[in-house]
DNA sequence: ACACTAACCTGCAAGC
DNA sequence: TGCTTGCAGGTTAGTG
């Protein structure tokens, strides 16, 4: 599910409620996520105060005095704030309770997410590329890193070592807006077109954040509400339907195991 | 170094 | 109706 806009939507919804709060309860009902939940996490977190909540790539970083709790939402994860106890539903795996009375509940049907405690710089964060909403991200940056590379430009911009936060939905949308075929070799996209692509990646991510992200089936924000960006999607999920630009039927192909919808007329 | 894939897991829709 | 197949927002680990 969650690409950068959904993770950022979650972060913004939670930040004010958890920052400064003390963790008074930790319930782990399922420890088999992408990796096992850090053993002993209950004891590690109990009694600690959350100093801040930040985001790096698609990871949420709950900052504590002596380390960081890394949370990833995988494909189907969500975090919800509850103002009172409620029955656990299927796939509600973890719940943190705070001294304020608020609870933070992690729900993840596919269990591709992660809950990891680390007191050191974590290897999972070591090789991440630039943040697309920071100034270091630019068309020139993409152009330079892509020279001589033969993989599809869509796979290139979805590579978290290059630029983070861009997943299948927003890569598809940004390439459409930029008029670039998703299967074009990354090394055969001009500097000018990378400038457009970088601008469109930034724009589509910002627009999606404004609408609370995209909800296909699982995603809900911290208040349990879906996002609304799906109504703005131009290509993702629209294979066979008319292109919103030229009216011809949108095509579909697979790139790196991911379905890729595009307009063969508007994208070259 | 690079390119590509299989795998992790559950739910759902489509096809037979 | 029921069974099988394939696909879904991500990412790592392994292959060549």
């Amino acid at each position: 599910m969650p690409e950068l806009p959904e993770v950022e939507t979650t972060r913004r919804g939670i930040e004010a409620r958890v920052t400064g709060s003390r963790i008074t309860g930790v319930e782990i009902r399922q420890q088999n996520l992408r990796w096992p939940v850090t053993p002993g996490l209950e004891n590690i977190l109990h009694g600690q105060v959350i100093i801040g909540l930040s985001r790096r790539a698609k990871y949420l970083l709950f900052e504590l005095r002596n380390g960081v709790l890394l949370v990833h939402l995988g494909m189907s994860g969500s975090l919800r704030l509850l103002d009172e106890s409620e029955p656990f539903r299927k796939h509600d795996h973890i719940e943190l309770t705070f001294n304020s009375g608020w609870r933070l509940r992690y729900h993840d049907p596919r269990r591709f997410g992660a809950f990891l405690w680390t007191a050191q710089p974590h290897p999972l964060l070591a090789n991440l590329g630039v943040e697309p909403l920071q100034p270091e991200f630019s068309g020139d940056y993409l152009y330079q890193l892509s020279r001589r590379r033969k993989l599809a430009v869509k796979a290139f911009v979805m590579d978290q070592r290059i630029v983070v936060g861009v997943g299948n939905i927003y890569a598809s949308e940004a390439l459409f807006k930029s008029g670039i075929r998703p299967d074009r070799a990354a090394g055969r996209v001009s500097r000018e077109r990378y400038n457009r692509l970088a601008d469109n990646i930034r724009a589509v991510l910002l627009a999606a954040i404004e609408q609370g992200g995209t909800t296909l089936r699982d995603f809900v924000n911290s208040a349990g509400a879906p996002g609304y960006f799906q109504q703005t999607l131009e290509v993702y999920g629209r294979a066979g339907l008319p292109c919103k630009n030229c009216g011809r039927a949108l095509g579909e192909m697979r790139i790196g195991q991911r379905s890729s919808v595009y307009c063969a007329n508007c994208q070259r």
Side-chain angles (χ1 to χ4, degrees):
Chain A
M1 117 216 181
E3 302 183 33
L4 186 151
E6 292 75 32
V7 178
E8 182 61 21
T9 294
T10 300
R11 192 194 69 77
R12 292 182 185 184
I14 290 172
E15 182 179 28
R17 287 285 180 220
V18 303
T19 301
S21 291
R22 187 177 300 277
I23 298 170
T24 55
V26 180
E27 182 165 354
I28 299 169
R29 302 162 57 84
Q30 166 62 270
Q31 60 178 9
N32 297 317
L33 303 181
R34 178 70 166 80
W35 295 277
V37 172
T38 302
L41 186 67
E42 297 93 330
N43 293 331
I44 292 169
L45 296 182
H46 190 90
Q48 292 219 58
V49 174
I50 297 192
I51 295 168
L53 175 58
S54 57
R55 178 188 58 73
R56 174 73 174 110
K58 299 172 190 168
Y59 292 91
L60 289 169
L61 282 58
F62 291 81
E63 297 152 6
L64 278 56
R65 184 180 56 76
N66 57 350
V68 173
L69 175 65
L70 293 181
V71 175
H72 197 291
L73 302 177
M75 287 278 258
S76 58
S78 57
L79 283 169
R80 236 173 9 122
L81 274 173
L82 309 177
D83 61 0
E84 58 183 40
S85 181
E86 68 175 61
F88 283 93
R89 296 190 278 206
K90 196 173 185 181
H91 306 308
D92 284 347
H93 302 314
I94 298 174
E95 183 176 88
L96 305 184
T97 305
F98 299 96
N99 59 338
S100 57
W102 286 90
R103 294 154 186 271
L104 187 62
R105 190 173 289 191
Y106 174 69
H107 177 89
D108 185 4
R110 293 180 71 183
R111 290 194 269 125
F112 287 171
F115 256 71
L116 298 169
W117 168 258
T118 180
Q120 303 292 327
H122 198 281
L124 286 171
L125 306 183
N127 297 311
L128 294 173
V130 302
E131 287 285 336
L133 302 181
Q134 295 298 311
E136 306 81 64
F137 178 64
S138 68
D140 278 1
Y141 171 84
L142 291 177
Y143 178 77
Q144 287 181 359
L145 286 185
S146 63
R147 290 311 85 188
R148 264 177 294 287
R149 296 203 55 177
K150 292 179 165 51
L151 83 167
V153 61
K154 176 159 173 278
F156 176 70
V157 298
M158 288 175 67
D159 184 341
Q160 303 298 299
R161 294 167 299 187
I162 305 295
V163 55
V164 301
V166 182
N168 203 29
I169 295 177
Y170 301 111
S172 301
E173 296 298 309
L175 286 164
F176 173 74
K177 288 179 181 300
S178 305
I180 302 170
R181 271 181 74 100
D183 60 345
R184 172 173 285 270
R188 307 204 55 177
V189 175
S190 70
R191 187 189 292 270
E192 287 68 29
R193 301 181 87 204
Y194 270 125
N195 283 330
R196 294 194 57 192
L197 182 56
D199 286 347
N200 283 318
I201 286 174
R202 216 173 355 249
V204 77
L205 294 176
L206 287 170
I209 291 170
E210 280 184 18
Q211 300 200 50
T214 297
T215 296
L216 300 179
R217 67 162 47 87
D218 296 302
F219 179 71
V220 290
N221 66 19
S222 61
Y228 294 100
F229 193 72
Q230 60 274 17
Q231 63 198 28
T232 308
L233 298 176
E234 296 182 290
V235 287
Y236 182 89
R238 297 193 65 248
L241 297 174
C243 170
K244 298 198 172 185
N245 186 42
C246 74
R248 301 195 205 182
L250 294 174
E252 184 171 25
M253 65 175 112
R254 290 194 80 78
I255 297 172
Q257 306 168 297
R258 315 307 294 268
S259 101
S260 305
V261 183
Y262 67 105
C263 177
N265 184 45
C266 299
Q267 295 173 257
R268 302 299 171 103

